[in-house]
Amino acid sequence: FDGSDNFFAGPILPFGEFMGEPLWQGLETLKVANNLLTGILPKVLPPRIRELDCAGNRFEGGIPDEFRNSTSLLFLTLDNNENFGGDISSTLANVGHMRSLSMANTKLRGRLDD
């Protein structure tokens, strides 16, 4: 799903169930860059998500600890979320399969080892 460059506003709803039915289960790409999205990122990712692009929004908080459990996430883009921060060392230390992490113009800090 590519919803970039729109005027979407508010939080991203949790990826879970709605009325007992799974939502977003087959989603592999979610691009919502350059919108007016706010709040925190959902703690649980869709099981097949490969690319998550949330750049250019107004997200707060940090990368949820639960992201380290994702075995499919390859590309994570968080650029230009000025209130987005926290320590990435513990959150993303074990995601060696990730190919790209972009976090320019955020308050994220820490070190990722090879």
Side-chain angles (χ1 to χ4, degrees):
F1 174 80
D2 189 348
S4 298
D5 301 306
N6 286 287
F7 292 98
F8 296 141
I12 293 181
L13 297 176
F15 302 109
E17 293 185 0
F18 178 73
M19 298 182 71
E21 295 295 320
L23 294 175
W24 306 98
Q25 294 300 307
L27 187 70
E28 293 184 7
T29 299
L30 179 60
K31 296 181 180 184
V32 290
N34 304 315
N35 284 289
L36 302 169
L37 297 172
T38 60
I40 60 173
L41 293 178
K43 290 183 178 182
V44 178
L45 292 171
R48 296 182 187 151
I49 193 81
R50 297 170 54 86
E51 180 177 2
L52 180 60
D53 183 352
C54 295
N57 284 285
R58 298 176 181 166
F59 287 110
E60 302 173 350
I63 300 172
D65 289 340
E66 290 80 0
F67 276 35
R68 73 173 140 229
N69 298 325
S70 173
T71 57
S72 60
L73 186 63
L74 299 175
F75 306 95
L76 179 58
T77 306
L78 302 168
D79 299 333
N80 301 313
N81 283 284
E82 294 177 4
N83 293 320
F84 199 76
D87 184 12
I88 62 169
S89 301
S90 60
T91 305
L92 297 177
N94 296 322
V95 288
H97 62 278
M98 190 175 289
R99 294 185 186 164
S100 174
L101 171 63
S102 185
M103 55 185 194
N105 298 316
T106 67
K107 294 179 182 169
L108 290 166
R109 64 189 182 286
R111 180 180 170 179
L112 295 175
D113 295 322
D114 291 334

